[in-house]
Amino acid sequence: RRLITQDKRKFNAPKWRFIVRISNNDVVCQVASSKMTGDNILCAAYSHELKRYGLKVGLTNYAACYCTGLLLARRLLKKLKLDKAYPGKRRLDGNLFKSHVANIRWKAGDKIYRPFKCLLDIGLARSSTGARVFGALKGAVDGGLDIPHSEKRFPGFTKGEGKKGKDEYQADVHADKIYGGHVRDYMEKLKEAEPEKYAKHFSRYIAENIGPDNLKAKYQDVHRKIRANPSPAPKKKRDLKTMKLFPEREKRLTGEERRLRRVEKIKQLDQKANAEAENKMEVDDTKSEE
């Protein structure tokens, strides 16, 4: 409820939400604001779009969620013409990052824009430490969006024991998961222990020539391609002349036409019955002659 309510003193200014939804086959990231008529979607990105950037497998894991958040951030900033002012974090080391207007070197005479701010909306997903929704959050933040967050839900964070214990955040652990380190470790373990199960379980990875050795390089290449061209794929233009339309509905018959159709059907059935009777009589005659 608090994600959609806005202060009256802000005079109908939209309150933007960074929406993350994860299904069995896809990851959906959207930036939207609430109106009386429903949500107004400003920009959206989906993990199935990562196929355009060379990633065709593992489209719902933590690394894919990071790529989807990064794609949304770069696409949105390009749409608002803020992509050059806020390039985001290029060196992915897992450390915290925040886009701030004071960190940008503005030229004299340029109009100063603040970074695009939105709030994380994870819906009914559990906000446990290391959840995939926070991978999408990290990708959007590194892409240049301003989303309030902390490191307490990122992989690599360990809460201190007791009241005097100090919290610890290992950025290298988080960076390793961004590049699919958890998938790499499982691939290496399975390949050594059960080669047959590895060949079956990671058959799609093997078909794409992706293994534990080049998995990180693959994600680095995807990140680079996303930053180079985050725009959505052009829509297919449909030619109405060659397009197959729905067949026309049959014209409804009048009462007289239905009566004549019944009469014609009865006549055909009578003729068929008479023909069968004649054939039967001819067969009986031939048998009697024999």
Side-chain angles (χ1 to χ4, degrees):
R1 182 181 175 185
R2 296 299 302 169
L3 287 173
I4 62 175
T5 55
Q6 182 66 290
D7 297 336
K8 288 184 177 180
R9 61 185 177 85
K10 293 189 177 178
F11 301 103
N12 203 26
K15 192 172 187 178
W16 299 106
R17 311 191 322 270
F18 176 67
I19 303 171
V20 183
R21 299 291 185 269
I22 302 175
S23 66
N24 290 338
N25 300 318
D26 208 358
V27 178
V28 182
C29 293
Q30 297 175 334
V31 171
S33 65
S34 295
K35 292 186 177 181
M36 293 297 293
T37 56
D39 279 353
N40 175 32
I41 307 299
L42 179 62
C43 190
Y46 305 87
S47 64
H48 65 257
E49 295 183 76
L50 299 177
K51 296 178 182 179
R52 293 173 50 219
Y53 302 99
L55 186 64
K56 299 181 180 180
V57 292
L59 299 179
T60 54
N61 57 26
Y62 193 91
C65 290
Y66 179 91
C67 294
T68 309
L70 178 65
L71 176 61
L72 173 65
R74 300 314 302 162
R75 180 175 293 174
L76 175 59
L77 294 179
K78 185 175 181 179
K79 181 179 181 180
L80 301 177
K81 298 181 180 179
L82 295 174
D83 52 334
K84 294 182 179 179
Y86 295 98
K89 187 178 180 63
R90 294 186 178 276
R91 183 183 176 187
L92 304 183
D93 52 6
N95 289 315
L96 291 180
F97 176 78
K98 181 179 180 180
S99 296
H100 197 275
V101 66
N103 298 335
I104 308 302
R105 296 181 179 179
W106 302 95
K107 296 181 181 179
D110 288 351
K111 188 174 181 180
I112 298 176
Y113 294 94
R114 288 179 296 176
F116 189 91
K117 184 177 181 179
C118 49
L119 305 176
L120 178 64
D121 179 0
I122 62 173
L124 299 176
R126 293 176 181 263
S127 58
S128 56
T129 302
R132 289 177 292 171
V133 291
F134 299 110
L137 165 68
K138 180 61 175 172
V141 170
D142 288 352
L145 297 185
D146 182 14
I147 306 176
H149 67 286
S150 67
E151 75 280 2
K152 292 185 178 180
R153 290 303 179 188
F154 287 153
F157 177 81
T158 305
K159 188 174 180 61
E161 297 181 359
K163 296 182 179 179
K164 296 184 179 180
K166 292 185 178 180
D167 298 341
E168 183 182 1
Y169 174 61
Q170 298 176 345
D172 56 340
V173 175
H174 192 188
D176 186 56
K177 197 164 186 178
I178 288 174
Y179 289 120
H182 56 299
V183 180
R184 180 202 62 226
D185 294 341
Y186 184 57
M187 291 175 77
E188 291 176 347
K189 180 180 177 181
L190 199 62
K191 188 175 182 179
E192 183 179 353
E194 301 179 57
E196 294 181 358
K197 187 176 180 181
Y198 167 78
K200 182 179 179 180
H201 194 74
F202 290 100
S203 59
R204 295 179 62 190
Y205 282 78
I206 296 171
E208 296 293 331
N209 295 323
I210 299 176
D213 299 330
N214 61 348
L215 187 62
K216 181 177 180 179
K218 186 67 175 178
Y219 283 114
Q220 289 176 338
D221 184 52
V222 172
H223 297 164
R224 184 174 64 256
K225 290 180 179 179
I226 288 174
R227 288 183 173 276
N229 181 23
S231 301
K235 293 184 178 180
K236 296 180 180 179
K237 293 184 180 180
R238 296 182 178 180
D239 188 5
L240 297 179
K241 295 181 180 179
T242 59
M243 186 174 163
K244 292 183 179 180
L245 302 177
F246 290 104
E248 295 184 2
R249 191 173 181 179
E250 295 183 2
K251 187 179 179 181
R252 188 172 181 179
L253 300 177
T254 62
E256 182 65 20
E257 290 174 341
R258 289 197 298 271
R259 188 186 69 80
L260 294 174
R261 187 177 63 176
R262 287 197 301 271
V263 172
E264 184 66 24
K265 187 70 174 178
I266 292 171
K267 188 183 295 184
Q268 292 176 1
L269 292 174
D270 289 342
Q271 292 175 356
K272 185 178 180 181
N274 294 334
E276 290 178 353
E278 292 178 358
N279 293 334
K280 187 175 181 182
M281 290 176 62
E282 290 177 358
V283 171
D284 292 342
D285 292 342
T286 53
K287 287 183 178 180
S288 61
E289 290 177 358
E290 292 177 355

